[in-house]
Amino acid sequence: MAKVPAAVVAASGLIGGYGVARWTKKRQLGGIVLAAAGATAAQQWRQAAGGKAAGALTAVYVGAFAGSHPLAKKVGAWPAVFGVAGAVALASWAVADRKA
């Protein structure tokens, strides 16, 4: 079975977490999706690029989640989520996935 790149896992976690929270109206469920994808991506980052890179990319992931909230006030919720998901995917590819 082909391995899903960490960039896809991380971006899907941000998009899926928001989608689940919005459609179920239960933020906790969205948080579970966000956390599960983040943990999976972090494990892949650590395997591909080492602990320091995994820590930095995890910080980018959490920062993107936090940053999407004020960004949503300026551009709308979905554009903000897609924007930060794209940024995290690009960072993941550049630091870890490109090497794999």
Side-chain angles (χ1 to χ4, degrees), residues 8-60:
V8 174
V9 173
S12 297
L14 290 162
I15 295 166
Y18 175 69
V20 167
R22 181 172 177 142
W23 290 315
T24 65
K25 299 189 183 350
K26 296 185 190 279
R27 296 177 74 175
Q28 299 86 348
L29 291 178
I32 290 169
V33 172
L34 181 79
T40 301
Q43 182 179 15
Q44 288 181 272
W45 292 328
R46 187 172 49 256
Q47 290 172 351
K52 288 183 182 180
L57 287 167
T58 300
V60 168

Side-chain angles (χ1 to χ4, degrees), residues 7-8 13 31 36 40-41 43 46 54 56 61 63 65 68-69 78 85 96:
V8 174
T40 301
Q43 182 179 15
R46 187 172 49 256
Y61 185 78
F65 167 70
S68 69
H69 292 82
W78 280 113

Side-chain angles (χ1 to χ4, degrees), residues 6-7 10 45 53 56-57 60-61 84-98:
W45 292 328
L57 287 167
V60 168
Y61 185 78
V84 300
V88 168
L90 182 61
S92 176
W93 176 82
V95 174
D97 293 334
R98 180 172 51 147

